[in-house]
Amino acid sequence: MKFAPHDIVAQGKRLFLQLGLCTALLLTATVNATTSSKDDWGDEWGDDPWAEKTQSSWSNIVMFAELAWGTRLNNDPVINTDSTLQDIRLQGQADYKLSNSAIKMRGQAFYDGVQSKWRMQVRELNWQGKISERWDIKAGQQILTWGTGDYLFLNDMFAKDWQSFFSGRDDEYLKAPQFAFKASGYYQFANIDIVITPKFTPDRYINGDVFSFYNPLAAQANGGVNVAPGFDVGSDNTPDKPEYALRIKKQVGATEYAFYGYKGFDKSPNSMTDDFQPTFTALNVVGASVIAPLFDGLINVEVAHHDTVDDSGNNPLIPNSQNKLLIGYQQELISNLTGSIQFQFEKSLDLPSQPNSATSTLPESVRTLWTAQLYYRLMQDTLNLQLFNFYSPSDEDGYSRFKVNYQPIQDWTVSAGINKFWGKRADSFFGQFENASNAYFTIRHYF
């Protein structure tokens, strides 16, 4: 994303102030927690046995330091380094309880060795409280998510960080923070969630900074080679309008029904302007989902209609509207071993017919995708193994994720994994990232 100098300064000041406030509050929380602990110690030894025990307003105080390293499994001819992950990270979180509400904060600072940059991020800094008997408000920087899929998002149009996901950072970083107001209402007929994001927040999409990608326009000139380093979306081509999201959820017995709506923009710059600059097209989404018990497991079904501004399908620079279907099932196969499977069907609307599917450069109108996961918890949950596989029969490509997470002693965890992409075509969704396949290792210490 490209910013004008004054935008960079303003963004930097805002981030610095948010992180500074978050750090100050975390330090205060630590001091207060320590003071509270000393008070408890004094009471225990009888210094003032009649003193009223002080209840700290701080809770959920967690801090950790982390080192992460990752390397490419294949050489990428357009990226000048094999390194995919070099993080030194310090993260902290705390909750502060007010009389009838609470402040939640979580922030981090880390050095990104791959791009040689220090980064600061306020992942959460929000106020939560009741404004009436039936309505709660959560306002500020927050992580938002809903929907029924595992790593598949039909109605969840909140910001995501695909660079972190592909490089092997912890799954918590797949969801990117955004500044929003969330109102939740609780009624007999249903629960209602309304989210307003005052200013559009895009995904942290693959832009060539760490992983190269296929660009159909550049491919016409370079013979189909991926492009890198990164491209930026100019501020003139980035929406500054609000986003609106709605969920209505109802539990009937053991079955949960939900209806969704979204009015905003495509989260990744999959469109181009008339002068071939990347941009985010306007997008409206409506959908529904249901989760219910089936046999010894749970089945989930989710549908969505993505309506782009290119309703007629006449503009090749804007993705067409799509109908999407997701069906999933998960079950504990044996003790501590859970298996799940998902099938996703996407139908692009208003595409012209393919005159010759073997030679045509037109996009396919249908994409199918299967996922399968095995998750095994061992040694009293101190050792977790995860294998997650994406496979698209229509695109003939796939993506396999294998991860091991181990806690050898209290307060220490180590993780290692492999992200393997493959595909028969360089222009397919996963096939374009074949040279992005990587292995990574992470060590984290809580204190």
Side-chain angles (χ1 to χ4, degrees):
M1 184 181 301
K2 184 179 292 181
F3 291 101
H6 67 277
D7 291 333
I8 297 174
V9 172
Q11 186 75 5
K13 286 181 177 178
R14 181 183 174 192
L15 188 60
F16 180 80
L17 288 173
Q18 287 182 323
L19 192 66
L21 176 59
C22 196
T23 303
L25 291 171
L26 285 171
L27 289 174
T28 305
T30 304
V31 171
N32 283 357
T34 303
T35 303
S36 176
S37 176
K38 288 179 178 178
D39 290 345
D40 292 344
W41 180 269
D43 289 343
E44 186 177 343
W45 286 89
D47 292 337
D48 186 3
W50 303 105
E52 183 178 355
K53 192 172 183 178
T54 302
Q55 294 291 328
S56 173
S57 297
W58 294 95
S59 63
N60 194 28
I61 302 172
V62 179
M63 297 191 73
F64 68 79
E66 181 182 86
L67 296 175
W69 173 87
T71 186
R72 214 175 301 275
L73 298 179
N74 306 317
N75 177 51
D76 190 330
V78 296
I79 297 280
N80 61 3
T81 176
D82 288 335
S83 182
T84 55
L85 185 64
Q86 288 184 14
D87 287 351
I88 302 174
R89 184 187 311 270
L90 181 65
Q91 178 169 312
Q93 68 178 51
D95 296 344
Y96 186 78
K97 184 178 180 182
L98 303 171
S99 58
N100 292 309
S101 61
I103 296 174
K104 188 176 184 63
M105 60 203 78
R106 183 156 48 122
Q108 62 172 339
F110 69 99
Y111 181 73
D112 182 348
V114 178
Q115 299 187 58
S116 301
K117 293 180 180 177
W118 279 100
R119 300 184 186 276
M120 296 184 292
Q121 184 183 67
V122 177
R123 294 189 60 78
E124 291 184 280
L125 182 57
N126 56 70
W127 175 88
Q128 307 175 50
K130 295 184 71 67
I131 59 171
S132 70
E133 183 180 349
R134 295 187 179 277
W135 284 91
D136 293 345
I137 291 290
K138 185 176 183 180
Q141 192 85 340
Q142 54 191 294
I143 304 294
L144 295 160
T145 188
W146 59 40
T148 64
D150 284 338
Y151 300 143
L152 298 178
F153 306 98
L154 275 65
N155 291 289
D156 180 345
M157 302 305 298
F158 303 117
K160 302 167 189 69
D161 185 345
W162 296 109
Q163 296 212 34
S164 290
F165 185 68
F166 285 176
S167 63
R169 293 192 178 106
D170 192 273
D171 277 2
E172 72 169 291
Y173 300 114
L174 170 59
K175 301 295 294 190
Q178 61 188 81
F179 187 87
F181 299 91
K182 180 181 180 184
S184 299
Y186 305 94
Y187 292 90
Q188 187 70 28
F189 72 94
N191 295 335
I192 303 171
D193 294 303
I194 301 171
V195 178
I196 300 176
T197 304
K199 185 177 180 180
F200 168 68
T201 304
D203 286 347
R204 291 170 186 176
Y205 45 84
I206 303 298
N207 67 348
D209 280 344
V210 180
F211 304 116
S212 64
F213 63 95
Y214 180 84
N215 183 307
L217 293 180
Q220 296 178 9
N222 65 16
V225 177
N226 272 14
V227 295
F231 73 98
D232 295 317
V233 179
S235 56
D236 292 342
N237 296 322
T238 301
D240 58 358
K241 296 181 178 178
E243 302 172 81
Y244 306 94
L246 168 70
R247 179 179 66 174
I248 301 174
K249 187 172 66 173
K250 175 68 174 178
Q251 187 92 19
V252 180
T255 303
E256 179 186 286
Y257 303 89
F259 299 91
Y260 309 90
Y262 171 80
K263 180 177 177 57
F265 303 87
D266 197 339
K267 290 295 193 176
S268 293
N270 295 323
S271 305
M272 291 190 178
T273 61
D274 292 339
D275 57 350
F276 303 106
Q277 298 301 310
T279 187
F280 306 87
T281 190
L283 179 69
N284 299 325
V285 179
V286 293
S289 69
V290 59
I291 304 176
L294 180 67
F295 305 121
D296 294 326
L298 288 173
I299 184 173
N300 60 290
V301 179
E302 187 169 345
V303 295
H305 173 66
H306 288 220
D307 180 22
T308 67
V309 295
D310 182 31
D311 286 331
S312 63
N314 294 327
N315 189 347
L317 302 179
I318 299 176
N320 286 52
S321 298
Q322 287 187 318
N323 288 331
K324 299 187 177 185
L325 166 68
L326 172 68
I327 302 174
Y329 180 77
Q330 62 174 311
Q331 177 183 326
E332 187 174 54
L333 304 175
I334 59 174
S335 180
N336 296 328
L337 175 62
T338 302
S340 66
I341 189 169
Q342 298 180 114
F343 172 72
Q344 179 170 304
F345 177 87
E346 300 176 2
K347 170 70 174 177
S348 294
L349 307 177
D350 303 316
L351 283 176
S353 60
Q354 299 274 17
N356 185 335
S357 60
T359 59
S360 174
T361 58
L362 292 174
E364 300 289 344
S365 63
V366 170
R367 178 172 183 256
T368 54
L369 178 66
W370 287 90
T371 77
Q373 176 180 220
L374 291 174
Y375 193 91
Y376 202 10
R377 296 178 288 114
L378 300 164
M379 302 169 61
Q380 299 180 328
D381 286 348
T382 59
L383 175 62
N384 298 318
L385 309 176
Q386 182 193 33
L387 175 61
F388 199 102
N389 190 61
F390 300 81
Y391 168 60
S392 173
S394 60
D395 289 3
E396 298 183 292
D397 64 359
Y399 168 33
S400 298
R401 293 168 53 89
F402 176 68
K403 182 176 182 179
V404 179
N405 185 279
Y406 179 50
Q407 182 181 2
I409 56 176
Q410 188 175 7
D411 298 331
W412 287 88
T413 61
V414 293
S415 303
I418 293 175
N419 293 303
K420 175 65 176 175
F421 301 88
W422 62 271
K424 291 188 175 181
R425 303 198 328 260
D427 62 344
S428 68
F429 183 79
F430 293 124
Q432 65 182 311
F433 299 124
E434 194 162 16
N435 290 332
S437 298
N438 61 83
Y440 61 90
F441 175 81
T442 300
I443 182 168
R444 178 181 293 188
H445 175 55
Y446 292 90
F447 52 88

